[in-house]
Amino acid sequence: MDGPAAPQGGLSVSQQVRAMFYVLQPNESSFASLEEVPDYVNKATPLFVVLMLLEFVVSWVWRHEAPGRINDSITSLSAGVLSRLPDVVSRSLELTTYIYVWDNYRLFELLWDSPWTWYLTFLGVDFGYYWFHRMAHEVNILWAAHQVHHSSEAYNLSTALRQSVLQRYTSWVFYLPMALFIPPSVYAVHLQFNLLYQFWIHTEVVNTLGPLELILNTPSHHRVHHGRNPYCIDKNYGGTLIIWDRIFGTFVAENDKVIYGLTHPINTFEPVKVQITGKEVPFNPRLPIYLSVYAVVHFALMLGFYVDLFETQATLSQVTLLLRIGYIILTLTSIGFLMEQRPKAASLEAVRCSVFLALHKLSYLKIYIASLAFTYEKHVPSFPSLSTAFGKQCVSGGAGRKHPLFFPESKSYSSGRPLYGLSKGGFFMNVISLPA
């Protein structure tokens, strides 16, 4: 068998696209060591964005409506960001435990470059995922973590990114038997492929796929899994394949129109509350246009800091890492408060902006756009005056002007620019450990 065609950092566009749909061949996705395995999930991030935009266009043209709501989509993306933050300070538990069992207890070693090993691992990872996923619905303590993924009342590609912070600490158990004979490098490839495959099936713009519905998990099958209709509850657990559901009696075909979400909706956009927790109607408080735009822009800017956190984590002190993680969580929480229009939203947002300025002044956060850095230096000459300034304006320069976000009766908008920066790596990164 030929060696891997794409070493770390050298994936072609074709390989990145095919990895999304689990159609890379064994000879281009087999690696001798764990260090050689590409970060397929991270490299797929641009494709996540492209597919979400494509879904929006297709839905708008075909159904004359957007595939989801801004508030719900931002909440899903926020949950994805939160679920990834533990990776900044610790290695994946799924890999750490697997490597430990492999190093100390393996019975024999299958060849890493054999197609038979590749296909056996494909089946093994998907079989382990089926049982983890089923237990996550049937065992209360596991469901407490997994319910995060099901809390959206929409079903679109952003829903795939709504992930639990805690789920990773239980899923690893179901894959450990493979560590007795399957090399970690092979396992690491299929763990990523299994997750990537499940991204694109979170959509309503794809109907059915003909004969493929008999074998593969498809958008139609997974829509059922996300439904709260009585016929949908605890069905269709498969990751890539639907055959496990057919074998073990948990399969049901899509029938009546699916109503998405939990049987007892959480009715919140606040990301921390989403992780740890109504009325039987969609939760969709009406937002003013300017507030929706503000939430989207500041969420996008937060992603710049998020990207930079992962890109530079090896060079940062523990204090800096923790402060940046704390700021990201504060930002997501504040945006959630704004979208719910809570009474304390304006106060929390003013605190968040003040925290940002303090962290920047103390060099714990950086501004990467020169014009924004110039704005900061020009309009905010000294830190002691910031708290007073931000009580009035939060995101803009220009002393004495009230920002209409916090003072809706005010008609004057500051002409200053937002005091935020984008990472050198761009807006987006792997916002997920992908779907369940």
Side-chain angles (χ1 to χ4, degrees), residues 304-340:
F305 293 119
Y306 172 78
V307 171
D308 182 66
L309 178 65
F310 276 85
E311 289 181 343
T312 62
Q313 59 179 303
T315 65
L316 300 176
S317 69
Q318 288 296 312
V319 172
T320 302
L321 287 174
L322 293 175
L323 287 173
R324 292 190 180 189
I325 289 172
Y327 174 73
I328 289 172
I329 294 173
L330 177 61
T331 299
L332 297 177
T333 302
S334 182
I335 290 174
F337 272 47
L338 290 171
M339 292 191 299
E340 291 183 24

Side-chain angles (χ1 to χ4, degrees), residues 202-272:
H202 288 79
T203 185
E204 291 188 295
V205 301
V206 176
N207 286 325
T208 58
L209 298 177
L212 294 178
E213 302 279 336
L214 297 174
I215 301 172
L216 298 177
N217 191 15
T218 64
S220 176
H221 296 329
H222 206 58
R223 285 194 289 269
V224 170
H225 178 71
H226 273 258
R228 61 185 181 189
N229 314 52
Y231 86 94
C232 297
I233 302 297
D234 294 340
K235 300 296 182 182
N236 298 3
Y237 296 114
T240 303
L241 302 173
I242 202 66
I243 59 173
W244 313 120
D245 290 283
R246 295 184 184 278
I247 292 172
F248 297 111
T250 53
F251 173 77
V252 67
E254 187 176 23
N255 190 355
D256 299 331
K257 177 177 174 57
V258 177
I259 307 300
Y260 303 108
L262 302 173
T263 55
H264 297 86
I266 57 175
N267 291 346
T268 184
F269 299 124
E270 200 271 290
V272 175

Side-chain angles (χ1 to χ4, degrees), residues 296-309 311-312 324 327 356 360 365-373 417-429:
V296 170
V297 169
H298 281 266
F299 181 84
L301 293 173
M302 178 281 303
L303 286 180
F305 293 119
Y306 172 78
V307 171
D308 182 66
L309 178 65
E311 289 181 343
T312 62
R324 292 190 180 189
Y327 174 73
F356 162 74
H360 179 271
L365 284 176
K366 297 179 180 179
I367 296 177
Y368 290 101
I369 296 180
S371 60
L372 299 185
R417 294 187 178 184
L419 302 177
Y420 290 80
L422 302 181
S423 147
K424 290 177 286 188
F427 270 104
F428 299 98
M429 179 183 174

Side-chain angles (χ1 to χ4, degrees), residues 8 31-38 91 99 185:
Q8 174 97 12
F31 304 90
S33 68
L34 198 59
E35 291 69 29
E36 296 177 61
V37 177
R91 190 175 187 179
I99 293 169
S185 62

Side-chain angles (χ1 to χ4, degrees), residues 274-292:
V274 167
Q275 290 289 334
I276 59 177
T277 56
K279 299 177 181 177
E280 293 293 332
V281 295
F283 181 60
N284 187 27
R286 187 176 299 277
L287 294 179
I289 294 297
Y290 72 84
L291 189 56
S292 296

